[in-house]
Amino acid sequence: NYTFAQYVNDEKVGEAAIAVTQPSFWKELWGDYRHKSVYRQFKWALGLLAGVVLGVGWIVKKRRAAASGGDPDAAPGAGIVIGARVDGAIPASTSGVATARNDAAEELRKCGLQYEVLAAQPDRLKALEAGRRYLGLLVKARETAKAVEVFKACVAVDANFRPERAEDVFAIAKAARAAGETAASVAVLRGFDKLFPAHALVPEMYVFSAKVMAEDLRNPVMARKILEYVVQKYPGHFIAQEAKKYLEGMPQTA
């Protein structure tokens, strides 16, 4: 409260108290409608609306920043989602496969050039080691027709030449037989069980050899011996059942 006194000739003649209260925010904001114009009221309303819009925008921006890893300008949903595919990007798995294929193709090309250079020299024995590696890459790339050609060239230089891996031997033998190259098929198979005595492909190689003997070389006697050996040696192997069926279909020999 505010108290004041009235004096006349230094003599107090009266005293009064007035209650003083601070006007409310909303009253100050909107003012007295009796004294303020409509235009001023409209300006205050626009200011209030702008403040509300800015406040809502700030809240939305903060939420967007949290969702996008701290970047307030990122678009909604711009956060990285595990497993999502980014447009224009190559998936990591696909990219890795493509890179591996390109590397394998380049290795095959370089090895082929090395082999051809060495094979063209007077001392062709130097090409044999490169030939073994080249054969393995050709089989891996499923270029078995080319592998048969390279094998024939190498075995012509050294009759004891053989591919480095058992899998390469089997692939080349089958490709050579399919191409009608029976001699090459027999040559690559020769001594397989001695070179790879404990390999899992040995029983299958025996049966394959028996078929070559019976069907291509017209030697059923040798084929029968090989098949009977497989049945006796590998009774629990799946290939033994195939050998039995093949034996049953072969003509009896004296």
Side-chain angles (χ1 to χ4, degrees):
N1 294 336
Y2 178 77
T3 303
F4 67 92
Q6 182 76 31
Y7 291 88
V8 176
N9 295 327
D10 295 331
E11 182 180 350
K12 184 177 182 181
V13 294
E15 183 180 80
I18 300 175
V20 179
T21 60
Q22 183 177 2
S24 69
F25 168 77
W26 294 106
K27 187 172 183 180
E28 283 290 320
L29 180 64
W30 295 107
D32 189 347
Y33 286 102
R34 293 173 301 174
H35 302 292
K36 294 186 179 180
S37 66
V38 174
Y39 175 71
R40 189 173 181 183
Q41 295 174 32
F42 180 71
K43 286 200 304 182
W44 278 103
L46 285 181
L48 178 62
L49 179 61
V52 172
V53 171
L54 290 175
V56 172
W58 180 82
I59 294 173
V60 171
K61 196 171 185 179
K62 293 292 288 183
R63 290 182 177 178
R64 185 181 297 172
S68 60
D71 184 5
D73 296 323
I80 301 300
V81 179
I82 296 176
R85 177 174 178 175
V86 180
D87 291 340
I90 300 176
S93 59
T94 304
S95 177
V97 171
T99 301
R101 287 177 179 172
N102 291 336
D103 292 345
E106 181 62 16
E107 184 181 10
L108 177 62
R109 186 187 68 83
K110 290 181 179 179
C111 189
L113 289 176
Q114 181 187 24
Y115 166 75
E116 291 174 3
V117 169
L118 294 173
Q121 294 181 2
D123 186 4
R124 297 177 62 191
L125 289 173
K126 296 180 180 179
L128 297 182
E129 192 58 37
R132 284 191 178 87
R133 183 164 175 266
Y134 190 30
L135 282 174
L137 294 175
L138 287 170
V139 170
K140 189 175 181 180
R142 298 185 179 180
E143 297 187 21
T144 51
K146 180 65 175 178
V148 172
E149 293 181 12
V150 173
F151 171 75
K152 288 168 62 180
C154 290
V155 82
V157 176
D158 181 3
N160 295 319
F161 175 85
R162 295 293 181 276
E164 187 175 14
R165 302 186 313 148
E167 293 80 2
D168 300 340
V169 172
F170 205 2
I172 294 171
K174 290 191 290 187
R177 188 188 182 206
E181 299 279 358
T182 304
S185 182
V186 173
V188 73
L189 289 173
R190 187 178 295 120
F192 179 86
D193 53 343
K194 301 297 189 298
L195 291 172
F196 311 100
H199 201 280
L201 285 175
V202 169
E204 295 179 60
M205 198 70 69
Y206 278 138
V207 173
F208 180 82
S209 300
K211 291 180 180 179
V212 172
M213 288 291 175
E215 299 171 14
D216 303 334
L217 299 180
R218 303 291 187 246
N219 190 343
V221 176
M222 181 60 69
R224 181 173 289 278
K225 289 181 179 180
I226 296 173
L227 293 170
E228 289 174 348
Y229 175 79
V230 170
V231 173
Q232 180 183 1
K233 180 72 174 179
Y234 308 98
H237 199 284
F238 76 91
I239 203 67
Q241 299 302 318
E242 183 176 339
K244 287 181 180 179
K245 291 182 180 179
Y246 199 88
L247 278 169
E248 292 172 359
M250 290 181 63
Q252 295 295 325
T253 57

